[in-house]
Amino acid sequence: MNTFKDKVIWITGASSGIGESLAIEFAKRGARLILSARREEELIRVLNLTKLPSLDIMLLPFDLNDTSKASGLAAQVINKFGRIDLLINNGGFSQRSEAIETPIEIDRLLMEVNYFSYINLSKAVLPYMKRQKNGHIVIVSSIAGKFGFYLRSSYSAAKHALHGFFETLRLETESLGIKILIVCPGKIKTKVSINAITESGNSHNKMDKSHEIAMTAEECAKQIINGIIKNKEEIYIGGKEILMVKIKRLLPKLFSKLIRKQSPY
Ligand SMILES: NC(=O)c1ccc[n+]([C@@H]2O[C@H](COP(=O)([O-])OP(=O)(O)OC[C@H]3O[C@@H](n4cnc5c(N)ncnc54)[C@H](OP(=O)(O)O)[C@@H]3O)[C@@H](O)[C@H]2O)c1
């Protein structure tokens, strides 16, 4: 896909951060958008920023934790636009709690929103992509989907699970014209650390130091779009922290030393 003019693109997590920046960038490139997240008022704010006419944009607010809605929502998109060219599974939240302190209900919530909702929404969209004989699914994972990290046990587990599922789906659906890109951001300057869940179930509510000085969401969105254009299967986006993925693969003993020296924040 080298142009986004008139392409129908559904973005989850579009009310903030990376999803918001993707919405603005795709709008500039002439796409037609479906924006999802829980907070409708924030989606309206993003809708205004895109400056798209109502014919070319649709808000579909919903909670990713409610997996019962996906097929009905996909049908609403088809009713309005007739097709879905790109699904960007991006919505989610991080974790700031030690595994030993974290109640299992919070582990399950992290898996539900960051893993099951991605496969659920993709399964709702796949029959339409199959009928169209093309489609592109983007998965926003994390470098925490490539290695475990302090305070992120179930977040990291959910992101790892995405790789297993979507690498398999890629093999099974490429003959149907369906492409899958897995994006692994490192640190991006968004509200992800503020919105991260703690062992109490409350938000961490602090901007981590490493996020304050990180790559902007706008730059991240541009790199995701380049990855789509170039038909990449997996990309890493961020600062020097993304080198850890390569170090783990090529120099596992060095990785083991370095990872222990990283601040969780
Ligand atoms: N920023 C980073 O450094 C970083 C690094 C690696 C991976 N990521 C991944 O990037 C993705 C986007 O995060 P971000 O950095 O842009 O953070 P963000 O600014 O906190 O945005 C998260 C988005 O997800 C939505 N969301 C959260 N829980 C939801 C739920 N239960 N139902 C529906 N929508 C929900 C939020 O909208 P509502 O609150 O309105 O629902 C918001 O639009 C996430 O998958 C995150 O894991 C980010």
Side-chain angles (χ1 to χ4, degrees):
M1 191 181 293
N2 54 15
T3 169
F4 297 97
K5 179 103 187 78
D6 294 328
K7 296 291 178 205
V8 177
I9 304 180
W10 189 357
I11 307 170
T12 70
S15 64
S16 170
I18 297 170
E20 171 177 342
S21 292
L22 281 168
I24 294 166
E25 198 55 43
F26 279 127
K28 283 186 202 156
R29 295 169 191 236
R32 311 179 80 195
L33 298 179
I34 304 99
L35 306 183
S36 290
R38 287 165 302 183
R39 292 168 300 159
E40 192 167 4
E41 67 286 2
E42 288 301 306
L43 290 177
I44 293 169
R45 182 184 60 77
V46 177
L47 176 146
N48 290 330
L49 291 174
T50 66
K51 301 191 176 80
L52 288 179
S54 57
L55 195 69
D56 290 334
I57 192 159
M58 178 181 198
L59 302 187
L60 275 186
F62 74 102
D63 190 336
L64 290 167
N65 192 27
D66 179 359
T67 45
S68 67
K69 296 219 166 69
S71 55
L73 294 167
Q76 284 186 53
V77 174
I78 295 298
N79 278 343
K80 178 165 167 103
F81 294 112
R83 56 185 295 112
I84 303 173
D85 295 298
L86 246 157
L87 169 65
I88 306 202
N89 283 298
N90 163 76
F93 67 105
S94 190
Q95 175 184 11
R96 293 294 181 275
S97 62
E98 287 190 8
I100 200 166
E101 306 288 348
T102 304
I104 191 73
E105 293 74 19
I106 290 185
D107 294 305
R108 285 189 192 281
L109 181 63
L110 281 154
M111 286 302 287
E112 199 63 60
V113 173
N114 293 310
Y115 172 65
F116 283 108
S117 82
Y118 281 39
I119 70 172
N120 188 44
L121 202 57
S122 303
K123 283 177 185 230
V125 159
L126 277 166
Y128 301 108
M129 290 186 168
K130 187 178 172 189
R131 198 178 66 195
Q132 292 163 195
K133 298 193 175 62
N134 70 58
H136 216 129
I137 299 180
V138 176
I139 304 302
V140 180
S141 173
S142 167
I143 55 169
K146 305 299 282 184
F147 53 81
F149 194 50
Y150 295 113
L151 308 186
R152 289 155 175 79
S153 49
S154 281
Y155 174 74
S156 175
K159 295 296 193 185
H160 275 75
L162 288 172
H163 289 252
F165 184 91
F166 284 97
E167 283 171 16
T168 303
L169 187 70
R170 182 189 290 129
L171 297 176
E172 292 175 356
T173 58
E174 62 191 354
S175 62
L176 305 173
I178 295 165
K179 295 185 179 116
I180 293 176
L181 164 66
I182 304 180
V183 178
C184 302
K187 310 271 183 193
I188 309 295
K189 191 175 177 182
T190 69
K191 293 185 177 144
V192 74
S193 62
I194 295 172
N195 294 329
I197 199 167
T198 63
E199 62 275 14
S200 66
N202 294 325
S203 299
H204 175 56
N205 238 338
K206 281 178 223 140
M207 176 71 112
D208 287 352
K209 277 200 182 114
S210 57
H211 284 274
E212 261 170 27
I213 52 162
M215 176 187 280
T216 63
E218 291 79 6
E219 175 59 24
C220 178
K222 283 184 191 150
Q223 292 198 25
I224 292 175
I225 291 173
N226 273 339
I228 297 167
I229 292 169
K230 291 182 177 159
N231 282 329
K232 296 276 186 191
E233 294 191 350
E234 188 165 299
I235 55 173
Y236 310 99
I237 302 175
K240 63 181 184 328
E241 68 281 0
I242 63 175
L243 287 174
M244 291 299 274
V245 179
K246 264 198 184 154
I247 295 173
K248 185 180 182 197
R249 197 166 62 224
L250 301 173
L251 301 162
K253 281 191 180 157
L254 175 64
F255 173 85
S256 188
K257 280 187 192 149
L258 289 178
I259 197 70
R260 287 175 166 77
K261 293 185 184 151
Q262 308 303 310
S263 159
Y265 307 106

